[in-house]
């Protein structure tokens, strides 16, 4: 049986991240850990917002995949795009795409997860704009945009008092909950759900592995089953 070959695609959002290589090394490590001894035949790094669809490096990566009949591998779904229409179009293309954070998800599931991610990103953007508008109305002098976003993120996080909202404000928790939503539709046992979460590297709020009981609590808390 012919071994699958891979082309890796890594994306960072800003030029500032490009200069510091922030995020790229982490993505590269995730991909390599997933592939084990297999090495990608090529790697493409793009510096562009996840909302934009003009991606020269992604186009090059996809073209190489077609020529070599390789699979495009991406560390996380949101590294491909935060635009659900764009993601959906790519998922339906003639190139097989694999995401390290959802290795077992089929295309339908990935469509659902992409939609959830875009919706959550929209909520965060709206809350950010509203908070900035309110501060400006109070006469607060706005400083550097990056500092405002960081401080606003902390303020929003501190204002969310319930355990449920605090969990949803954490990227890692959102991915775990999204994965639970998918598994809840697959008639899996609680033990099997816990096993899959542990295999993907998710941990509880106390840093421990998931048990069937803890999965049951989360399913009830988020009305997933």
């Amino acid at each position: 049986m012919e071994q699958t070959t891979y082309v890796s695609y890594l994306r960072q959002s800003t030029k500032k991240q490009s200069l510091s290589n922030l995020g790229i090394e982490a993505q590269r490590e995730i991909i390599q850990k997933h592939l084990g001894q297999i090495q990608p035949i090529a790697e493409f790094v793009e510096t562009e917002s996840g909302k934009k669809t003009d991606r020269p490096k992604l186009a090059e990566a996809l073209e190489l995949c077609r020529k070599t009949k390789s699979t495009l591998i991406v560390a996380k779904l949101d590294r491909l795009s935060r635009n659900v229409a764009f993601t959906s179009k790519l998922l339906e293309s003639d190139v097989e795409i694999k995401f390290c954070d959802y290795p077992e998800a089929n295309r339908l599931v990935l469509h659902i997860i992409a939609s959830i991610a875009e919706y959550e990103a929209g909520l965060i953007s709206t809350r950010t704009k509203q908070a900035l508008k309110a501060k400006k109305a109070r006469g607060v002098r706005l400083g550097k945009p990056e500092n405002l976003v960081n401080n606003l993120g902390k303020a929003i996080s501190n204002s969310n008092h319930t355990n449920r909202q605090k969990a949803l404000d954490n990227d890692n928790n959102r991915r775990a909950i999204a994965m639970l939503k998918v598994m809840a539709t697959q008639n899996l046992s609680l033990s099997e759900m816990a096993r899959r979460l542990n295999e993907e590297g998710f941990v509880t709020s106390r840093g421990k592995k998931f048990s069937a009981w803890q999965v049951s609590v989360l399913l009830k808390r988020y009305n997933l089953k």
Side-chain angles (χ1 to χ4, degrees), residues 108-124:
L108 174 61
V109 170
L110 290 171
H111 281 298
I112 294 171
I113 295 172
S115 297
I116 293 171
E118 184 182 68
Y119 175 70
E120 290 176 340
L123 286 179
I124 292 171

Side-chain angles (χ1 to χ4, degrees), residues 2-7 41 61-72 94-97:
E2 188 177 351
Q3 187 180 51
T4 302
T5 55
Y6 295 91
V7 172
I41 63 172
L62 291 170
E63 184 60 29
L64 181 59
C65 285
R66 294 186 182 97
K67 289 181 179 178
T68 59
K69 296 182 179 180
S70 298
T71 295
L72 185 73
D94 56 345
V95 174
E96 190 69 28
I97 305 177

Side-chain angles (χ1 to χ4, degrees), residues 87-151:
T87 299
S88 297
K89 184 178 179 181
L90 290 174
L91 290 174
E92 296 301 329
S93 71
D94 56 345
V95 174
E96 190 69 28
I97 305 177
K98 192 173 188 67
F99 301 95
C100 297
D101 53 344
Y102 298 109
E104 298 180 13
N106 58 34
R107 290 187 178 185
L108 174 61
V109 170
L110 290 171
H111 281 298
I112 294 171
I113 295 172
S115 297
I116 293 171
E118 184 182 68
Y119 175 70
E120 290 176 340
L123 286 179
I124 292 171
S125 176
T126 299
R127 286 161 62 189
T128 299
K129 290 176 181 178
Q130 289 175 341
L132 287 174
K133 185 177 180 179
K135 291 185 76 172
K136 191 173 182 180
R138 294 196 304 269
V140 176
R141 185 176 180 180
L142 303 181
K144 293 183 179 179
E146 60 266 30
N147 291 337
L148 284 171
V149 171
N150 290 338
N151 292 334

Side-chain angles (χ1 to χ4, degrees), residues 5-124:
T5 55
Y6 295 91
V7 172
S8 63
Y9 176 74
L10 304 88
R11 182 182 65 80
Q12 54 198 355
S13 299
T14 66
K15 290 181 179 179
K16 187 174 181 180
Q17 285 182 333
S18 177
L19 292 174
S20 64
N21 220 23
L22 182 64
I24 291 299
E25 285 300 329
Q27 292 175 56
R28 188 176 290 125
E29 184 178 344
I30 290 171
I31 290 173
Q32 198 54 61
K33 183 178 179 180
H34 182 83
L35 293 179
Q37 299 300 317
I38 301 174
Q39 293 291 328
I41 63 172
E43 176 185 280
F44 293 85
V45 178
E46 190 123 58
T47 301
E48 187 55 85
S49 167
K51 296 180 181 179
K52 292 188 177 181
T53 59
D54 183 17
R55 307 280 190 80
K57 291 298 180 182
L58 178 58
E60 290 179 32
L62 291 170
E63 184 60 29
L64 181 59
C65 285
R66 294 186 182 97
K67 289 181 179 178
T68 59
K69 296 182 179 180
S70 298
T71 295
L72 185 73
I73 186 165
V74 187
K76 297 182 179 181
L77 181 61
D78 65 0
R79 291 300 86 194
L80 181 66
S81 176
R82 292 184 183 276
N83 182 313
V84 68
F86 183 61
T87 299
S88 297
K89 184 178 179 181
L90 290 174
L91 290 174
E92 296 301 329
S93 71
D94 56 345
V95 174
E96 190 69 28
I97 305 177
K98 192 173 188 67
F99 301 95
C100 297
D101 53 344
Y102 298 109
E104 298 180 13
N106 58 34
R107 290 187 178 185
L108 174 61
V109 170
L110 290 171
H111 281 298
I112 294 171
I113 295 172
S115 297
I116 293 171
E118 184 182 68
Y119 175 70
E120 290 176 340
L123 286 179
I124 292 171

Side-chain angles (χ1 to χ4, degrees), residues 156-185:
I156 291 173
S157 177
N158 291 335
S159 69
N160 295 322
H161 299 296
T162 66
N163 289 334
R164 184 176 186 276
Q165 188 60 50
K166 285 181 179 179
L168 288 173
D169 281 344
N170 182 285
D171 288 339
N172 189 61
N173 289 346
R174 278 203 298 270
R175 286 192 288 272
I177 294 165
M179 187 171 178
L180 271 178
K181 286 181 180 178
V182 173
M183 292 193 291
T185 67

